[in-house]
Amino acid sequence: MTKRILVLPGDGIGLEIVAEAVKVIEALKQDGLDVEMEEGLIGGASTDAHGEPLTDETLERARAADAVLLGAVGGPKWESLPIAIRPEKGLLKIRAGLELFSNLRPAILYPQLADASTLKPEVVSGLDLMIVRELTGGIYFGQPRGVETMENGERRGFNTLVYTESEVERIARSAFDIAMKRGKKLCSVDKANVLEVTEMWREVVERVAKDYPEVELSHMYVDNAAMQLVRAPKQFDVMVTTNMFGDILSDAAAMLTGSIGMLPSASLDAGGKGMYEPIHGSAPDIAGQGLANPLATILSVAMMLRYSLNEPAMADRVEKAVEQVLDQGLRTADIYSEGCKKVGTAEMGDAVVAAL
Ligand code: NAD
Protein backbone atom coordinates (compact mmCIF):
# COMPACT_ATOMS: atom_id res chain seq x y z
CA MET A 1 0.00 0.00 0.00
CA THR A 2 1.17 3.50 -0.80
CA LYS A 3 2.73 5.15 2.28
CA ARG A 4 2.16 8.82 2.96
CA ILE A 5 4.83 11.29 3.99
CA LEU A 6 3.94 14.71 5.33
CA VAL A 7 6.75 17.13 4.51
CA LEU A 8 7.10 20.13 6.85
CA PRO A 9 10.07 22.28 5.74
CA GLY A 10 9.56 24.92 8.47
CA ASP A 11 11.75 28.02 8.49
CA GLY A 12 15.21 29.29 7.53
CA ILE A 13 17.44 26.63 5.98
CA GLY A 14 14.60 24.14 6.58
CA LEU A 15 13.25 25.05 3.14
CA GLU A 16 16.58 24.51 1.39
CA ILE A 17 17.62 21.25 3.04
CA VAL A 18 14.19 19.63 2.80
CA ALA A 19 14.11 20.41 -0.93
CA GLU A 20 17.26 18.26 -1.32
CA ALA A 21 15.80 15.44 0.79
CA VAL A 22 12.68 15.51 -1.39
CA LYS A 23 14.90 15.10 -4.48
CA VAL A 24 16.29 11.92 -2.91
CA ILE A 25 12.79 10.57 -2.20
CA GLU A 26 11.72 11.39 -5.78
CA ALA A 27 14.73 9.47 -7.10
CA LEU A 28 13.83 6.46 -4.96
CA LYS A 29 10.23 6.64 -6.19
CA GLN A 30 11.55 6.10 -9.71
CA ASP A 31 13.21 2.95 -8.37
CA GLY A 32 9.94 1.63 -6.93
CA LEU A 33 9.53 3.32 -3.54
CA ASP A 34 5.76 3.49 -3.13
CA VAL A 35 5.15 6.79 -1.32
CA GLU A 36 3.14 9.95 -1.74
CA MET A 37 4.37 13.27 -0.39
CA GLU A 38 2.31 16.25 0.72
CA GLU A 39 3.52 19.53 2.22
CA GLY A 40 2.43 21.54 5.23
CA LEU A 41 3.47 24.50 7.35
CA ILE A 42 5.09 24.48 10.78
CA GLY A 43 6.92 27.04 12.90
CA GLY A 44 7.20 30.68 11.92
CA ALA A 45 5.86 29.93 8.44
CA SER A 46 2.63 28.65 10.00
CA THR A 47 2.44 31.52 12.48
CA ASP A 48 2.72 33.97 9.56
CA ALA A 49 -0.02 32.21 7.61
CA HIS A 50 -2.41 31.07 10.36
CA GLY A 51 -1.44 32.87 13.59
CA GLU A 52 -0.19 29.69 15.26
CA PRO A 53 2.93 27.52 14.76
CA LEU A 54 0.99 24.29 14.09
CA THR A 55 -2.69 24.18 13.20
CA ASP A 56 -4.95 21.33 14.33
CA GLU A 57 -5.52 20.62 10.65
CA THR A 58 -1.79 20.08 10.01
CA LEU A 59 -1.56 17.92 13.15
CA GLU A 60 -4.44 15.79 11.81
CA ARG A 61 -2.59 15.39 8.50
CA ALA A 62 0.50 14.31 10.47
CA ARG A 63 -1.60 11.75 12.36
CA ALA A 64 -2.94 10.38 9.07
CA ALA A 65 0.55 10.09 7.52
CA ASP A 66 2.97 7.17 7.94
CA ALA A 67 5.91 9.47 8.50
CA VAL A 68 6.72 13.15 8.85
CA LEU A 69 9.83 14.79 7.40
CA LEU A 70 10.68 18.03 9.19
CA GLY A 71 13.29 20.68 8.34
CA ALA A 72 13.76 23.14 11.21
CA VAL A 73 11.80 25.92 12.85
CA GLY A 74 12.51 29.34 14.30
CA GLY A 75 14.37 32.53 13.54
CA PRO A 76 14.86 36.11 14.74
CA LYS A 77 11.64 37.26 13.04
CA TRP A 78 9.52 35.36 15.60
CA GLU A 79 11.68 35.66 18.73
CA SER A 80 9.70 38.52 20.26
CA LEU A 81 6.30 36.80 19.87
CA PRO A 82 4.45 35.51 22.97
CA ILE A 83 5.73 32.05 23.94
CA ALA A 84 2.44 30.36 23.00
CA ILE A 85 2.84 31.20 19.30
CA ARG A 86 6.63 30.92 18.97
CA PRO A 87 7.82 28.47 16.30
CA GLU A 88 9.26 26.00 18.85
CA LYS A 89 5.75 25.48 20.31
CA GLY A 90 4.81 23.89 17.00
CA LEU A 91 7.49 21.24 17.53
CA LEU A 92 6.33 20.46 21.07
CA LYS A 93 2.71 20.23 19.87
CA ILE A 94 3.48 17.79 17.06
CA ARG A 95 5.72 15.60 19.28
CA ALA A 96 3.04 15.41 21.99
CA GLY A 97 0.16 15.12 19.50
CA LEU A 98 1.75 12.14 17.75
CA GLU A 99 2.85 10.53 21.06
CA LEU A 100 6.44 10.24 19.89
CA PHE A 101 7.99 8.70 23.01
CA SER A 102 11.13 7.19 21.52
CA ASN A 103 13.80 9.61 20.34
CA LEU A 104 16.58 8.13 18.24
CA ARG A 105 19.78 10.14 18.02
CA PRO A 106 22.57 8.47 16.07
CA ALA A 107 26.11 9.77 16.32
CA ILE A 108 28.04 8.69 13.25
CA LEU A 109 31.47 9.92 12.36
CA TYR A 110 32.41 9.16 8.80
CA PRO A 111 36.13 8.42 8.57
CA GLN A 112 36.32 11.10 5.84
CA LEU A 113 35.35 13.72 8.47
CA ALA A 114 37.39 12.45 11.42
CA ASP A 115 39.33 15.74 11.57
CA ALA A 116 36.11 17.64 12.41
CA SER A 117 35.94 16.10 15.89
CA THR A 118 37.67 17.64 18.88
CA LEU A 119 38.67 14.11 19.94
CA LYS A 120 41.61 12.21 18.49
CA PRO A 121 40.73 10.63 15.12
CA GLU A 122 41.58 7.12 16.37
CA VAL A 123 39.04 7.51 19.22
CA VAL A 124 36.14 8.61 17.00
CA SER A 125 36.83 7.61 13.39
CA GLY A 126 34.16 5.16 12.29
CA LEU A 127 31.98 5.88 15.35
CA ASP A 128 28.40 4.64 14.84
CA LEU A 129 26.24 4.69 17.94
CA MET A 130 22.56 5.26 18.58
CA ILE A 131 21.11 6.86 21.68
CA VAL A 132 17.46 6.02 22.35
CA ARG A 133 16.00 8.66 24.68
CA GLU A 134 12.62 8.40 26.39
CA LEU A 135 10.90 11.59 25.24
CA THR A 136 7.49 12.00 26.88
CA GLY A 137 7.99 11.02 30.53
CA GLY A 138 10.44 11.39 33.40
CA ILE A 139 11.42 14.51 35.28
CA TYR A 140 10.52 16.95 32.46
CA PHE A 141 6.84 16.03 32.84
CA GLY A 142 6.55 14.57 36.39
CA GLN A 143 4.14 16.00 38.97
CA PRO A 144 4.31 17.58 41.48
CA ARG A 145 6.57 20.35 40.24
CA GLY A 146 7.00 23.98 41.09
CA VAL A 147 8.54 26.55 43.38
CA GLU A 148 6.91 27.27 46.75
CA THR A 149 7.65 29.57 49.65
CA MET A 150 8.15 27.77 52.94
CA GLU A 151 7.03 29.03 56.36
CA ASN A 152 10.42 30.58 57.04
CA GLY A 153 10.13 32.61 53.82
CA GLU A 154 12.77 30.62 51.94
CA ARG A 155 11.76 29.32 48.50
CA ARG A 156 11.90 25.62 47.65
CA GLY A 157 11.94 24.32 44.07
CA PHE A 158 11.05 20.75 43.14
CA ASN A 159 10.52 18.41 40.18
CA THR A 160 9.58 14.76 40.22
CA LEU A 161 11.31 11.93 38.39
CA VAL A 162 8.56 9.43 37.73
CA TYR A 163 8.21 6.47 35.34
CA THR A 164 5.55 3.78 35.23
CA GLU A 165 6.56 0.22 34.38
CA SER A 166 4.66 0.43 31.08
CA GLU A 167 6.53 3.59 30.07
CA VAL A 168 9.86 1.86 30.73
CA GLU A 169 8.73 -1.28 28.97
CA ARG A 170 7.76 0.50 25.73
CA ILE A 171 11.00 2.48 25.49
CA ALA A 172 12.97 -0.69 26.29
CA ARG A 173 11.15 -2.59 23.53
CA SER A 174 11.78 0.26 21.11
CA ALA A 175 15.51 0.13 21.96
CA PHE A 176 15.74 -3.66 21.71
CA ASP A 177 13.97 -3.55 18.31
CA ILE A 178 16.52 -1.00 17.12
CA ALA A 179 19.42 -3.05 18.50
CA MET A 180 18.08 -6.02 16.50
CA LYS A 181 18.34 -3.89 13.33
CA ARG A 182 21.91 -2.87 14.19
CA GLY A 183 24.78 -4.53 16.08
CA LYS A 184 22.60 -6.36 18.68
CA LYS A 185 24.27 -4.67 21.66
CA LEU A 186 22.25 -2.54 24.07
CA CYS A 187 23.51 -0.54 27.05
CA SER A 188 20.82 0.74 29.43
CA VAL A 189 21.92 3.86 31.29
CA ASP A 190 20.51 4.62 34.74
CA LYS A 191 21.43 5.78 38.23
CA ALA A 192 20.15 2.67 39.97
CA ASN A 193 22.60 3.07 42.85
CA VAL A 194 20.88 6.30 43.96
CA LEU A 195 17.43 6.62 42.36
CA GLU A 196 14.74 4.03 43.14
CA VAL A 197 12.84 4.85 39.94
CA THR A 198 15.84 3.86 37.85
CA GLU A 199 16.35 0.74 39.96
CA MET A 200 12.88 -0.22 38.73
CA TRP A 201 13.90 0.89 35.21
CA ARG A 202 16.77 -1.61 35.33
CA GLU A 203 14.47 -4.43 36.49
CA VAL A 204 11.97 -3.75 33.70
CA VAL A 205 14.73 -3.63 31.07
CA GLU A 206 16.02 -7.00 32.37
CA ARG A 207 12.53 -8.42 32.05
CA VAL A 208 12.06 -7.17 28.46
CA ALA A 209 15.51 -8.56 27.58
CA LYS A 210 14.13 -12.11 27.93
CA ASP A 211 12.18 -11.49 24.70
CA TYR A 212 15.39 -10.53 22.89
CA PRO A 213 17.86 -13.35 23.61
CA GLU A 214 20.06 -12.32 20.65
CA VAL A 215 20.74 -8.86 22.08
CA GLU A 216 23.67 -8.50 24.46
CA LEU A 217 22.41 -6.26 27.29
CA SER A 218 24.58 -4.28 29.69
CA HIS A 219 23.84 -1.58 32.30
CA MET A 220 25.84 1.51 33.10
CA TYR A 221 25.45 4.36 35.61
CA VAL A 222 24.97 7.67 33.86
CA ASP A 223 28.12 9.27 35.29
CA ASN A 224 30.23 6.41 33.96
CA ALA A 225 28.36 6.54 30.62
CA ALA A 226 29.25 10.23 30.24
CA MET A 227 32.89 9.37 30.91
CA GLN A 228 32.93 6.38 28.55
CA LEU A 229 31.33 8.44 25.75
CA VAL A 230 34.35 10.72 25.60
CA ARG A 231 36.92 8.04 26.53
CA ALA A 232 35.98 5.18 24.20
CA PRO A 233 32.68 5.88 22.40
CA LYS A 234 33.15 3.07 19.88
CA GLN A 235 32.37 0.49 22.62
CA PHE A 236 28.65 1.38 22.24
CA ASP A 237 26.09 0.22 19.68
CA VAL A 238 22.70 1.28 21.12
CA MET A 239 22.18 3.11 24.43
CA VAL A 240 18.75 3.55 26.03
CA THR A 241 18.01 6.00 28.81
CA THR A 242 15.58 8.38 30.52
CA ASN A 243 14.44 11.70 29.15
CA MET A 244 16.88 13.90 31.07
CA PHE A 245 19.92 11.60 30.91
CA GLY A 246 19.24 11.16 27.18
CA ASP A 247 18.94 14.89 26.63
CA ILE A 248 22.43 15.41 28.01
CA LEU A 249 24.17 12.30 26.66
CA SER A 250 22.77 12.69 23.13
CA ASP A 251 24.10 16.23 22.82
CA ALA A 252 27.49 15.12 24.10
CA ALA A 253 27.49 12.20 21.64
CA ALA A 254 26.46 14.48 18.77
CA MET A 255 29.39 16.75 19.45
CA LEU A 256 31.83 13.83 19.32
CA THR A 257 31.35 14.06 15.59
CA GLY A 258 31.95 17.80 15.39
CA SER A 259 29.60 18.35 12.47
CA ILE A 260 26.05 19.40 13.31
CA GLY A 261 25.08 19.45 9.63
CA MET A 262 25.59 15.68 9.37
CA LEU A 263 23.34 14.34 12.15
CA PRO A 264 19.81 13.03 11.61
CA SER A 265 17.23 12.06 14.24
CA ALA A 266 13.93 10.23 14.54
CA SER A 267 11.10 10.23 17.05
CA LEU A 268 8.83 7.19 16.99
CA ASP A 269 5.43 6.25 18.39
CA ALA A 270 4.37 2.79 19.54
CA GLY A 271 3.18 1.78 16.06
CA GLY A 272 6.30 2.73 14.09
CA LYS A 273 5.12 6.09 12.80
CA GLY A 274 7.94 8.56 13.07
CA MET A 275 8.99 12.13 12.66
CA TYR A 276 12.39 12.56 11.03
CA GLU A 277 14.51 15.69 11.26
CA PRO A 278 18.09 16.91 11.37
CA ILE A 279 19.26 17.73 14.91
CA HIS A 280 20.27 21.28 13.95
CA GLY A 281 18.08 24.36 13.89
CA SER A 282 17.05 26.79 11.16
CA ALA A 283 20.49 28.46 10.99
CA PRO A 284 19.26 32.01 10.26
CA ASP A 285 22.89 33.14 9.80
CA ILE A 286 23.17 31.20 6.54
CA ALA A 287 19.51 30.85 5.48
CA GLY A 288 18.63 31.63 1.88
CA GLN A 289 22.24 31.55 0.70
CA GLY A 290 22.47 27.98 -0.58
CA LEU A 291 25.21 27.20 1.93
CA ALA A 292 23.46 24.78 4.29
CA ASN A 293 24.52 21.16 4.50
CA PRO A 294 21.55 18.99 3.43
CA LEU A 295 23.15 15.68 4.49
CA ALA A 296 21.59 15.53 8.00
CA THR A 297 18.16 15.81 6.39
CA ILE A 298 19.01 13.29 3.67
CA LEU A 299 20.25 10.90 6.38
CA SER A 300 16.94 11.50 8.19
CA VAL A 301 15.26 10.13 5.06
CA ALA A 302 17.44 7.02 5.42
CA MET A 303 16.18 6.63 9.00
CA MET A 304 12.60 7.05 7.76
CA LEU A 305 13.13 4.30 5.19
CA ARG A 306 14.51 1.99 7.89
CA TYR A 307 12.18 2.67 10.82
CA SER A 308 8.80 3.73 9.34
CA LEU A 309 8.71 2.61 5.71
CA ASN A 310 10.30 -0.80 6.20
CA GLU A 311 12.75 -0.32 3.32
CA PRO A 312 16.11 -1.22 4.90
CA ALA A 313 17.83 -1.84 1.56
CA MET A 314 16.89 1.64 0.33
CA ALA A 315 18.07 3.10 3.66
CA ASP A 316 21.45 1.44 3.10
CA ARG A 317 21.59 2.85 -0.42
CA VAL A 318 21.01 6.41 0.79
CA GLU A 319 23.67 6.08 3.49
CA LYS A 320 26.14 4.61 0.99
CA ALA A 321 25.39 7.43 -1.46
CA VAL A 322 26.25 9.97 1.26
CA GLU A 323 29.52 8.16 1.95
CA GLN A 324 30.26 8.17 -1.76
CA VAL A 325 29.89 11.94 -2.12
CA LEU A 326 32.19 12.37 0.88
CA ASP A 327 34.67 10.02 -0.78
CA GLN A 328 34.46 12.19 -3.89
CA GLY A 329 35.70 15.06 -1.71
CA LEU A 330 32.50 17.13 -1.93
CA ARG A 331 31.97 19.33 1.15
CA THR A 332 29.56 22.08 2.15
CA ALA A 333 31.22 24.97 3.99
CA ASP A 334 30.50 23.58 7.50
CA ILE A 335 32.53 20.39 6.86
CA TYR A 336 35.06 21.83 4.42
CA SER A 337 38.75 21.10 4.80
CA GLU A 338 41.67 21.88 2.52
CA GLY A 339 41.98 19.83 -0.63
CA CYS A 340 38.24 19.16 -0.86
CA LYS A 341 35.73 20.67 -3.28
CA LYS A 342 33.39 23.22 -1.73
CA VAL A 343 29.78 22.86 -2.90
CA GLY A 344 26.43 24.46 -2.08
CA THR A 345 23.21 22.91 -0.78
CA ALA A 346 21.69 21.99 -4.16
CA GLU A 347 24.96 20.72 -5.62
CA MET A 348 25.36 18.41 -2.61
CA GLY A 349 21.79 17.12 -2.99
CA ASP A 350 22.29 16.52 -6.71
CA ALA A 351 25.52 14.63 -6.00
CA VAL A 352 23.71 12.30 -3.58
CA VAL A 353 20.99 11.65 -6.16
CA ALA A 354 23.66 10.92 -8.78
CA ALA A 355 25.44 8.53 -6.37
CA LEU A 356 22.14 6.72 -5.74
P1 NAD B 1 21.34 26.15 14.66
O1 NAD B 1 21.46 24.68 14.75
O2 NAD B 1 20.28 26.68 13.77
O3 NAD B 1 22.73 26.79 14.20
C1 NAD B 1 23.93 26.66 14.96
C2 NAD B 1 25.13 26.87 14.03
O4 NAD B 1 25.28 25.74 13.18
C3 NAD B 1 24.97 28.08 13.10
O5 NAD B 1 26.22 28.69 12.92
C4 NAD B 1 24.51 27.47 11.79
O6 NAD B 1 24.87 28.22 10.66
C5 NAD B 1 25.19 26.11 11.82
N1 NAD B 1 24.39 25.10 11.12
C6 NAD B 1 23.26 24.50 11.58
N2 NAD B 1 22.79 23.65 10.66
C7 NAD B 1 23.63 23.69 9.61
C8 NAD B 1 23.66 23.04 8.35
N3 NAD B 1 22.73 22.15 7.98
N4 NAD B 1 24.66 23.35 7.49
C9 NAD B 1 25.60 24.24 7.84
N5 NAD B 1 25.63 24.88 9.01
C10 NAD B 1 24.65 24.62 9.90
O7 NAD B 1 21.11 26.67 16.16
P2 NAD B 1 20.81 28.15 16.69
O8 NAD B 1 21.58 29.15 15.90
O9 NAD B 1 21.01 28.08 18.14
O10 NAD B 1 19.27 28.38 16.44
C11 NAD B 1 18.71 29.05 15.30
C12 NAD B 1 17.20 28.91 15.32
O11 NAD B 1 16.86 27.52 15.19
C13 NAD B 1 16.56 29.39 16.62
O12 NAD B 1 15.36 30.04 16.31
C14 NAD B 1 16.30 28.09 17.38
O13 NAD B 1 15.23 28.22 18.27
C15 NAD B 1 15.97 27.16 16.25
N6 NAD B 1 16.21 25.72 16.54
C16 NAD B 1 15.32 24.86 15.98
C17 NAD B 1 15.50 23.50 16.14
C18 NAD B 1 14.55 22.57 15.46
O14 NAD B 1 13.80 23.01 14.59
N7 NAD B 1 14.53 21.31 15.79
C19 NAD B 1 16.60 23.01 16.85
C20 NAD B 1 17.52 23.93 17.37
C21 NAD B 1 17.31 25.29 17.20
Side-chain angles (χ1 to χ4, degrees):
M1 217 174 70
T2 307
K3 298 267 175 74
R4 288 168 64 192
I5 304 172
L6 178 64
V7 179
L8 301 174
D11 308 315
I13 61 166
L15 301 156
E16 300 159 64
I17 55 181
V18 164
E20 300 313 309
V22 165
K23 277 185 197 167
V24 169
I25 296 172
E26 290 291 356
L28 292 172
K29 277 178 78 169
Q30 294 188 358
D31 285 350
L33 178 67
D34 190 10
V35 296
E36 265 173 17
M37 285 184 277
E38 51 175 307
E39 258 202 38
L41 297 177
I42 192 168
S46 175
T47 299
D48 286 350
H50 305 295
E52 53 179 325
L54 182 76
T55 62
D56 291 342
E57 190 248 328
T58 305
L59 179 58
E60 272 318 309
R61 287 166 67 203
R63 284 206 180 100
D66 296 288
V68 177
L69 178 66
L70 183 100
V73 302
K77 183 178 171 194
W78 303 282
E79 263 162 24
S80 52
L81 290 178
I83 284 184
I85 55 168
R86 287 220 196 122
E88 293 74 12
K89 277 279 170 195
L91 273 187
L92 296 181
K93 182 173 170 182
I94 197 166
R95 284 180 186 146
L98 297 181
E99 293 182 61
L100 305 172
F101 68 89
S102 178
N103 184 219
L104 278 50
R105 291 269 302 258
I108 299 166
L109 184 57
Y110 295 95
Q112 299 92 330
L113 303 178
D115 287 343
S117 177
T118 50
L119 296 195
K120 292 186 190 122
E122 63 268 27
V123 175
V124 286
S125 181
L127 175 74
D128 180 0
L129 77 86
M130 173 81 83
I131 296 189
V132 180
R133 166 188 172 195
E134 200 290 326
L135 200 60
T136 54
I139 197 165
Y140 293 172
F141 295 92
Q143 296 288 348
R145 61 193 297 155
V147 179
E148 63 186 16
T149 305
M150 298 186 294
E151 271 174 19
N152 66 3
E154 192 188 353
R155 289 191 309 153
R156 170 178 175 271
F158 52 96
N159 288 87
T160 307
L161 173 56
V162 52
Y163 274 110
T164 61
E165 283 189 292
S166 54
E167 282 177 314
V168 180
E169 178 162 347
R170 69 178 185 176
I171 190 71
R173 284 201 187 281
S174 178
F176 276 106
D177 286 341
I178 287 155
M180 285 296 290
K181 291 183 179 177
R182 293 176 42 106
K184 299 190 177 156
K185 267 175 66 182
L186 177 64
C187 178
S188 172
V189 176
D190 60 39
K191 190 73 181 169
N193 50 343
V194 180
L195 300 171
E196 288 83 351
V197 40
T198 66
E199 204 180 346
M200 184 197 81
W201 170 288
R202 192 178 278 218
E203 285 164 19
V204 175
V205 173
E206 287 282 353
R207 201 166 69 211
V208 174
K210 297 202 172 75
D211 294 339
Y212 297 87
E214 284 177 63
V215 177
E216 181 193 318
L217 173 68
S218 60
H219 302 275
M220 200 177 269
Y221 297 139
V222 64
D223 43 345
N224 187 24
M227 217 159 60
Q228 295 301 328
L229 265 182
V230 290
R231 192 189 71 87
K234 284 193 269 185
Q235 69 186 281
F236 298 111
D237 175 24
V238 182
M239 301 171 94
V240 62
T241 191
T242 63
N243 200 341
M244 183 164 69
F245 294 163
D247 190 5
I248 299 164
L249 293 182
S250 62
D251 267 18
M255 282 305 104
L256 294 174
T257 74
S259 39
I260 194 171
M262 294 295 300
L263 293 172
S265 79
S267 305
L268 306 180
D269 75 0
K273 186 214 293 283
M275 185 160 87
Y276 298 84
E277 57 184 313
I279 68 157
H280 59 71
S282 58
D285 53 333
I286 56 166
Q289 299 172 42
L291 295 174
N293 185 346
L295 293 180
T297 317
I298 289 171
L299 290 167
S300 300
V301 170
M303 290 188 83
M304 176 188 292
L305 290 161
R306 183 167 291 120
Y307 295 113
S308 286
L309 303 181
N310 204 18
E311 294 284 358
M314 286 206 184
D316 287 346
R317 271 182 69 198
V318 173
E319 286 164 355
K320 290 218 170 72
V322 167
E323 276 184 56
Q324 209 172 314
V325 299
L326 294 175
D327 278 338
Q328 289 162 8
L330 303 187
R331 302 282 188 273
T332 43
D334 57 309
I335 52 173
Y336 178 77
S337 60
E338 239 180 76
C340 295
K341 181 179 179 220
K342 203 180 271 186
V343 296
T345 311
E347 216 178 326
M348 187 60 111
D350 291 341
V352 174
V353 169
L356 270 178

